[in-house]
Amino acid sequence: MSLHQRFALLSLLACGALPATAQEVTLKVHHMWTPNANAPQKIIKPWCERIAAESNNRMKCQIYPSMQLGGTPAQLYDQARDGVADIVYTLPGYTPGRFPIMEVFELPFMTTGAEAGSRAAWTFYTRHATKEFGAVKPLLFNVHEEGYLHTRDTPLHKMEDLRGLKVRAPTRFATKLLTRLGATPVGMPLPSLPEAVSKGVVDGFLLAWEVIPSVKLQEMVKHHIETPAERPSLYTNVFVMAMNPARYAGLPDDLKAIIDRNSGMELSAHAGRVWDEAKEPSRNTAIARGNTFHTLPTAEIDRWIAATADLQNEYVDNMDKAGLPGQAMLQDARALIAQHGAAR
């Protein structure tokens, strides 16, 4: 290499003007779960391994579990928006009322399985909610498998058994659901729940089976109240994995393409499958402890559905007030859930 060529190379280095293909990227990924939970082990970690492999290790993740970058789970979305983290995995419902369009999947008795619901949620987002999440770049939307009621000391056989019980609710519509059923809802994110149960701050909680063993909640309650398999889920949460848009925009085109290939419908469906597949082994941990299980009969479920039916009208009214076609959006969500459920 001539002296002139060496000088030119040094100038490029000083100016940061080397070809984009030489760029190496480390993405800060922040989430609320413990490292051994299903979402980090079976969704986040494999995703990071794929983008590293496809980029020949030019793009890697630095994963921060258990809110290690600070803040609360409710602040994760804004951390992605503001660049505190490059990627987050969180629940939009932790900030009640902020993302009302996607709340359609959190209505009582909507979803019939996590994979089908997650495929439906991604499609619904692309049709109706891109502006609602315009401050970030969503990589996936997913829902969990069927959500159930779990109680410390009180078995539940009918709606009236909920009266006076303090029950943890993760989202706004879960809070409204519990109110309609006669319970006293207590809002809190997952990381706060084990201590609240152990100290008796709450008598029970709404939760899907998948996450229960990771925080040992099956050791803190005695009773599990489930719904019939052929009926829609009592409640559901929506999750989003989202990227800081400026971080994405600053990537070379080939690294953007890797992100794009590894996000969207199929990543959402994969996340849903992780939740579906975790249900049985997670439930088995409570069986092994000798906990009691009760499936609400169909006639009782019909009472619960009737008691919460007005929440669908509330969603429609909220959308109408925002100048959106609320009834058509609710129907579209239901149709997408049915479509993807039938395709399973």
Side-chain angles (χ1 to χ4, degrees), residues 18 40 52 59 62 85 106 112 124 131-132 152 165 192 208 213 233 243 263 269 272 275 327 338:
L18 279 175
M59 184 162 56
Q62 178 66 50
E106 296 184 347
T112 55
F124 188 89
K131 290 184 179 178
E132 183 164 273
R152 281 181 17 136
L165 293 187
S192 304
S233 176
M243 186 172 186
S263 60
W275 258 268
Q327 188 62 42

Side-chain angles (χ1 to χ4, degrees), residues 93 96-98 100 103 106 170-177 314 318:
R98 185 175 177 183
E103 277 187 321
E106 296 184 347
T171 62
R172 182 168 72 141
F173 272 115
T175 296
K176 293 174 181 290
L177 162 71
E314 181 177 328
N318 289 340

Side-chain angles (χ1 to χ4, degrees), residues 148 209 213 226 278-288 293 295:
Y148 298 119
W209 277 112
E226 300 177 314
K279 177 181 176 180
E280 184 175 354
S282 298
R283 188 176 185 273
N284 286 342
T285 64
I287 294 174
F293 295 78
T295 299

Side-chain angles (χ1 to χ4, degrees), residues 241-321:
M241 185 173 172
M243 186 172 186
N244 175 266
R247 186 65 157 137
Y248 172 81
L251 294 175
D253 288 345
D254 62 326
L255 296 188
K256 286 180 186 175
I258 291 171
I259 297 291
D260 293 343
R261 283 200 303 272
N262 287 283
S263 60
M265 171 71 84
E266 292 309 314
L267 183 62
S268 300
H270 168 71
R273 283 195 299 274
V274 167
W275 258 268
D276 279 335
E277 293 167 358
K279 177 181 176 180
E280 184 175 354
S282 298
R283 188 176 185 273
N284 286 342
T285 64
I287 294 174
R289 288 189 58 83
N291 293 357
T292 65
F293 295 78
H294 176 65
T295 299
L296 294 170
T298 297
E300 184 63 21
I301 286 295
D302 288 340
R303 294 182 66 214
W304 292 34
I305 291 174
T308 58
D310 68 304
L311 296 180
Q312 296 181 26
N313 296 331
E314 181 177 328
Y315 175 82
V316 170
D317 290 344
N318 289 340
M319 295 300 99
D320 289 347
K321 289 174 183 176

